[in-house]
Amino acid sequence: MTEYEAASLALQKSALALQQASLAAQQASVWVAAFVGAAQCSLIGIGLYIMRQASKQRDAQHQENMAQHRETMKALETQREAQSEQHRETMKALEGQHKALENQSEALRELIRRTSAPSAQEDG
């Protein structure tokens, strides 16, 4: 083999080694990109899972708050009805007292008229 052939063969071997190294680097780059993509997808999936769990927790809290609100509103309505009934009873009692006072007032006027001096009766 001549020196030129030997150099040519060595050059081809080094070019082949360079191509193999380049191919290995490209394959490594593909694997790194695949790993990074898988990691990103995993992080997104985990983030979505966490968001869904938080949403479920908020929904449960909202349902609990609404149940408490309904109970509070029912208690307030019951209290309002009781106060209205008490108000009606108080008003009836006051009307009865008012009538009793009117009767007493009328009776006192009549008593004063009957027991007053005769001259006062003639003047009035």
Side-chain angles (χ1 to χ4, degrees):
M1 178 178 302
T2 67
E3 198 175 307
Y4 174 75
E5 290 174 338
S8 179
L9 187 57
L11 187 59
Q12 286 177 355
K13 283 184 182 181
S14 66
L16 182 60
L18 184 61
Q19 285 178 347
Q20 288 176 346
S22 175
L23 181 61
Q26 287 176 351
Q27 286 177 342
S29 173
V30 168
W31 282 107
V32 167
F35 176 76
V36 169
Q40 288 175 335
C41 289
S42 297
L43 289 174
I44 290 170
I46 291 169
L48 290 173
Y49 175 78
I50 290 170
M51 287 172 56
R52 181 66 185 141
Q53 294 302 326
S55 176
K56 286 180 181 179
Q57 186 178 7
R58 279 192 309 274
D59 288 345
Q61 183 65 43
H62 177 70
Q63 292 299 325
E64 184 180 329
N65 288 347
M66 289 304 294
Q68 289 176 350
H69 177 70
R70 282 189 286 274
E71 289 176 14
T72 301
M73 293 306 292
K74 187 175 181 180
L76 287 173
E77 181 62 24
T78 302
Q79 184 181 13
R80 188 193 64 77
E81 289 173 1
Q83 287 175 344
S84 288
E85 181 60 31
Q86 184 179 8
H87 177 72
R88 282 190 290 276
E89 290 173 4
T90 301
M91 291 306 291
K92 283 181 185 179
L94 287 174
E95 286 175 10
Q97 288 177 358
H98 180 71
K99 287 185 181 190
L101 287 174
E102 284 180 346
N103 290 341
Q104 285 178 352
S105 179
E106 186 60 35
L108 285 173
R109 273 191 223 105
E110 184 61 25
L111 179 63
I112 290 170
R113 188 185 63 79
R114 290 182 182 178
T115 58
S116 64
S119 61
Q121 287 179 357
E122 292 171 5
D123 292 339

